[in-house]
Amino acid sequence: MGVVTVLTEHSSTHSLTCCGELLQLSAHRTAFSPLHKALFVADVHLGKAATFRQLGVPVPAGTTQANLARLSAAMARFDVQSLYFLGDLLHAKAAHNPGLLNALSAWRRQHANIHMALVRGNHDSRAGDPPAHLNIAVVEEPFALGQLALCHHPQQVPGAFALAGHEHPVVRMEGKGRDRARLPCFVLRGSLMVLPSFGEFTGGHAIEANNGDEIIPVLPVIDSIIC
C-alpha cells in the first residue's frame, strides 16, 4: 500500500491521469475532470440524520444544509458544468420530507445552470429517485463518460477507468506514540478509483488495502475519528 499525498483544506489538488483522462482530486472529497468540466461526488446520503431521528436515535440536525453548503464550495473550486453523484444521494424514503426537499430545491435553483445526474446506488433504489422538479437525471451503472465509467459499486470496467463510491473508505494514519486517526481517503486500484463518502453523517469503513493500491487521505475532516 502506498500513501501518495495527504489532501488538506489549503493544499493544491492532486492530479492523476488514467486511461488518458486527467482527474483532479480535492480536499472536498471530490474528483474533477477538466476535459468534461464534470465534478464527481459519492455517497452524500441526504436525510440519513433525519432517518435516525425518526427511529429515536438522538443525532444532530442541520446536516442537510451543511452538506449542500459543502457541495457548493466544492463546485466553486472548479469550472463545473456537470455534477455527477456516484450513488446514494438520498439515504432512505424518510429523505422525502418537506424540510429536506425544500432545502434541496433551493440549492438546485442556485445551480440551475449545472447539469446534474445520479448514478443509482443501493440506497437510491430504496429511497426512490429524486423528485422530477429537481432536474437530476438518473442513470444506471456503469455510465460512460468518455473513457470514464461512472459507478456506485466498485468494479472493473473493461477499456475504461471506473469511478465509484459505496465503500466509504477510511485509512488509519499512525502518529506519535499511540496517536492514530481514521481519515477518509481516495483509493486507487489499477483502473478503478473509489471516492470517499461526501456526507457529514456517513461514517467510514477501514479499508483492507492490497499491494499496489494507492491511498490519498483527506484532511481536515469534520467527522474523522481520533482513537
Side-chain angles (χ1 to χ4, degrees), residues 127-168:
D129 292 342
H133 73 268
L134 293 175
N135 194 27
I136 299 175
V138 180
V139 299
E140 300 295 336
E141 63 178 353
F143 179 77
L145 182 66
Q147 294 300 307
L148 301 174
L150 310 185
C151 308
H152 176 62
H153 299 90
Q155 57 193 278
Q156 299 289 336
V157 179
F161 183 74
L163 301 178
H166 186 60
E167 291 185 349
H168 301 203

Side-chain angles (χ1 to χ4, degrees), residues 24-207:
Q24 296 174 313
L25 314 184
S26 84
H28 289 282
R29 310 184 207 175
T30 64
F32 177 70
S33 165
L35 175 63
H36 303 290
K37 295 186 176 180
L39 191 72
F40 309 104
V41 58
D43 300 290
V44 182
H45 283 275
L46 295 176
K48 184 172 183 177
T51 301
F52 274 58
R53 286 194 297 273
Q54 283 191 359
L55 297 173
V57 181
V59 297
T63 55
T64 293
Q65 291 288 4
N67 283 324
L68 295 177
R70 290 175 54 241
L71 270 173
S72 294
M75 294 165 67
R77 289 202 60 180
F78 302 101
D79 181 18
V80 176
Q81 293 184 0
S82 297
L83 174 63
Y84 290 91
F85 298 99
L86 303 180
D88 292 0
L89 172 60
L90 300 177
H91 181 71
K93 289 186 181 298
H96 291 262
N97 65 75
L100 188 150
L101 292 180
N102 288 340
L104 185 54
S105 297
W107 176 83
R108 185 66 178 100
R109 289 193 295 272
Q110 294 172 5
H111 303 286
N113 61 324
I114 302 296
H115 167 73
M116 296 188 186
L118 166 67
V119 180
R120 188 181 280 119
N122 55 304
H123 278 270
D124 301 303
S125 297
R126 296 195 292 268
D129 292 342
H133 73 268
L134 293 175
N135 194 27
I136 299 175
V138 180
V139 299
E140 300 295 336
E141 63 178 353
F143 179 77
L145 182 66
Q147 294 300 307
L148 301 174
L150 310 185
C151 308
H152 176 62
H153 299 90
Q155 57 193 278
Q156 299 289 336
V157 179
F161 183 74
L163 301 178
H166 186 60
E167 291 185 349
H168 301 203
V170 298
V171 63
R172 288 188 182 274
M173 300 292 288
E174 301 294 337
K176 294 182 179 179
R178 299 177 63 184
D179 293 338
R180 292 181 298 173
R182 279 164 47 99
L183 304 180
C185 61
F186 296 86
V187 183
L188 181 61
R189 298 172 180 156
S191 59
L192 164 69
M193 184 168 65
V194 181
L195 277 67
S197 62
F198 187 87
E200 291 281 2
F201 188 61
T202 57
H205 175 68
I207 60 168

